[in-house]
């Protein structure tokens, strides 16, 4: 037999009751009880609080029969209690853990949010709330009687239910073995046992670089590419690749924007060094033009829209009440950041050593962009991209020296082969090929892009290189 929670006797305000279907009919709180246990219920919504240790075996069907052979339940699943030996109902465990933590940290913390999958909304979460608030109501009643109880408060005010995660069209499940481990998602494992024959691993995992960060790609996917958190989400290689492409564009803006900002500061320092005090003051105080004002305006609007995407939009009525929507819209957040990155890149590409611009609008754009990334939990590999003080923003001296030594050996070997074979034309082609490889493959992998031809006019006249997102010099 079992002890049941009785809905007839609770004073619950109904906030916990999710037991009606779309037609308003009460759904049976079915937990696989035996026929005798079902008969104990006074209401279809009643659920088990304590299951006594029984001598009948668990039946394969939901309704036990009298012909089931007698069997003593193992002691390992039975506990002593004031009600006799047995075990708690499965909803009690969660409520008990939360209650214990609430008591341990009552002076500093208070539970405000309880989350779970949509399939837990009923019966699990409904039953959690019902039994917890019944307990707190009893405590409040003791307070009225002077027994040291506490004033009744709503147990947990906010509940969030998420959709299920799908892989290859099926709900991710350990039993189906269609799950992806964290190690595999981060690209730190060569285990491909769960992949179908011929299926390739994620391309952005195979090609590691200073800016590769699969965890941030996953954060971006969760935030803006997986759909609403309320509905189902499908994890796939294509969606992760899409997230990688978007994050690469963000990093491109942060790196090129920071480099442009540094060059503007150097140009201003040069003006200070070679000009009189009056002229230096005039050069350093640049007047904002149309482009600067437009960038500042767009960045301000994007910052506001990013906030609204995270917390919703709220307006105050004349009577003091509020109206608006309050929900997370990650897709709009990602869209606004991508728009901001495109605006920033357009501003950067319109700046040159011959056409210096005020640094304040660009600095404001970079600071706003980084602040938004940090707010939603992106790592420093993304947030601080382009900041020269970080170790990973530029290739180490050892890496550069290794590549220079290897390049010298290759050039020397190609030249000597041409001399020995007296085929100077072939040797010249080999040397030019090595130079192209240095420009197109080797240095870009270290975050450096060599610029020649018409593209050289777009960078500082004193340089033939610029920083880039490693291995992604052709990203747009």
């Amino acid at each position: 037999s079992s002890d049941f929670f009785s809905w007839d006797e609770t004073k619950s305000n109904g906030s916990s009751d999710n037991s009606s279907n779309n037609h308003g009919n009460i759904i049976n709180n079915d937990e696989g009880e035996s026929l005798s246990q079902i008969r104990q219920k006074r209401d279809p919504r009643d659920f088990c609080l304590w299951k006594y240790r029984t001598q009948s075996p668990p039946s394969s069907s939901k309704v036990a029969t009298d012909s089931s052979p007698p069997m003593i339940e193992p002691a390992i699943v039975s506990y002593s209690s004031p009600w006799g030996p047995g075990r708690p109902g499965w909803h009690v465990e969660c409520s008990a853990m939360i209650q214990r933590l609430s008591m341990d940290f009552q002076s500093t913390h208070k539970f405000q949010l309880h989350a779970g999958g949509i399939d837990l909304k009923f019966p699990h979460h409904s039953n959690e709330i019902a039994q917890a608030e019944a307990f707190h109501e009893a405590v409040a009643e003791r307070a009225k009687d002077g027994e040291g109880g506490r004033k009744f408060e709503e147990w947990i005010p906010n509940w969030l239910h998420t959709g299920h995660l799908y892989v290859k069209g099926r709900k991710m499940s350990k039993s189906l073995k269609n799950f992806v481990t964290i190690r595999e998602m981060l690209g730190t494992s060569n285990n491909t046992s769960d992949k179908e024959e011929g299926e390739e691993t994620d391309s952005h995992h195979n090609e590691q670089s200073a800016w590769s960060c699969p965890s941030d790609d996953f954060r971006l996917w969760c935030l803006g590419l997986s759909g609403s958190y309320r509905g189902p989400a499908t994890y796939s290689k294509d969606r992760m690749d899409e997230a990688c492409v978007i994050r690469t564009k963000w990093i491109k803006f942060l790196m090129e924007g920071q480099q442009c900002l540094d060059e503007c500061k150097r140009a201003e320092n040069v003006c200070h060094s070679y000009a009189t005090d009056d002229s230096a003051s005039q050069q350093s105080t640049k007047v904002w033009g149309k482009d600067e004002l437009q960038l500042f305006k767009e960045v301000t609007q994007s910052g506001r829209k990013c906030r609204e995407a995270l917390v919703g939009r709220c307006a105050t009525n004349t009577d003091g009440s509020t109206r608006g929507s309050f929900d997370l819209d990650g897709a709009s957040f990602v869209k606004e950041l991508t728009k901001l990155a495109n605006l920033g890149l357009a501003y950067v590409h319109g700046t040159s050593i011959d056409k210096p611009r005020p640094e304040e609008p660009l600095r404001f754009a970079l600071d706003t962009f980084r602040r938004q990334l940090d707010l939603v939990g992106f790592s420093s590999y993304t947030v601080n991209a382009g900041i020269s003080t970080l170790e990973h923003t530029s290739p180490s001296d050892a890496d550069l020296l290794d590549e220079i030594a290897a390049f010298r050996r290759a050039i020397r070997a190609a030249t000597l082969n041409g001399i020995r074979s007296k085929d100077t034309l072939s040797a010249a082609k080999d040397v030019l090929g090595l130079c192209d490889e240095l420009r197109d493959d080797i240095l870009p992998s270290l975050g450096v892009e060599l610029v020649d031809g018409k593209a050289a006019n777009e960078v500082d006249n004193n340089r033939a290189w610029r920083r880039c997102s490693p291995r992604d010099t052709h990203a747009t």
Side-chain angles (χ1 to χ4, degrees), residues 406-471:
F407 179 68
R408 176 192 175 276
R409 287 195 301 268
I411 289 290
R412 186 173 183 273
T415 303
L416 290 175
N417 288 336
I419 294 174
R420 293 186 185 118
S421 64
K422 298 182 181 181
D423 187 356
T424 56
L425 179 60
S426 177
K429 290 181 179 179
D430 290 341
V431 169
L432 290 175
L434 291 169
C435 292
D436 290 343
E437 182 183 10
L438 179 72
R439 178 194 62 194
D440 298 336
D441 299 321
I442 298 174
L443 289 181
S445 70
L446 299 173
V448 177
E449 181 181 5
L450 295 182
V451 183
D452 54 18
K454 295 181 179 179
N457 297 326
E458 300 177 4
V459 299
D460 191 331
N461 290 336
N462 296 325
R463 292 179 176 175
W465 64 274
R466 60 187 173 193
R467 297 196 185 279
C468 67
S469 177
R471 301 187 188 275

Side-chain angles (χ1 to χ4, degrees), residues 73 80 96 116 134 150 176 181 249 272 397 443 472 474:
E73 196 171 45
S80 298
R150 298 182 301 275
L176 295 176
T181 67
K249 180 177 292 185
H272 278 287
D397 292 341
L443 289 181
D472 196 52
H474 302 295

Side-chain angles (χ1 to χ4, degrees), residues 38-50:
I38 293 175
R39 288 170 178 167
Q40 289 181 255
K41 289 187 174 185
R42 301 175 183 176
D43 187 291
R45 296 169 295 179
D46 291 351
F47 57 92
C48 178
L49 293 174
W50 186 262

Side-chain angles (χ1 to χ4, degrees), residues 211 213 215-225 242-259 302 306 310 329-346 348-349 362 365-387 468-470 472 475-476:
W211 299 109
C213 189
S215 60
D216 275 351
D217 293 341
F218 183 73
R219 290 183 178 98
L220 196 156
W221 172 77
C222 291
L223 179 64
L225 302 181
E242 183 181 355
C244 182
V245 170
I246 294 174
R247 193 178 67 87
T248 298
K249 180 177 292 185
W250 293 357
I251 288 179
K252 183 180 178 67
F253 163 58
L254 292 174
M255 294 188 68
E256 293 190 11
Q258 191 66 45
Q259 183 178 3
S302 289
C306 283
L310 295 180
D329 185 2
S332 293
F333 185 90
V334 170
K335 180 181 178 181
E336 281 301 322
L337 279 189
T338 304
K339 175 184 175 182
L340 179 54
N342 290 333
L343 290 170
L345 282 171
V348 167
H349 293 162
L362 181 56
L366 290 169
D367 289 346
T368 299
F369 201 91
R370 289 195 169 98
R371 189 164 56 249
Q372 297 296 338
L373 291 175
D374 184 64
L375 180 63
V376 294
F378 283 92
S379 73
S380 60
Y381 286 97
T382 299
V383 176
N384 295 321
I387 299 179
C468 67
S469 177
D472 196 52
T476 57

Side-chain angles (χ1 to χ4, degrees), residues 18 114-118 120-121 125 159-163 229-231:
N18 298 304
H114 193 312
I118 190 64
L120 298 179
K121 187 174 183 179
H125 287 166
W159 292 74
L160 183 148
H161 296 97
T162 61
Y229 68 90
R230 296 177 182 272

Side-chain angles (χ1 to χ4, degrees), residues 264 267-268 271 283 286 292 347 351-358:
C264 287
E268 186 172 340
C271 290
Q283 289 286 346
K286 303 182 183 70
E292 287 70 36
Y347 183 86
T351 304
S352 66
I353 195 66
D354 298 325
K355 185 184 176 184
R357 282 178 163 178

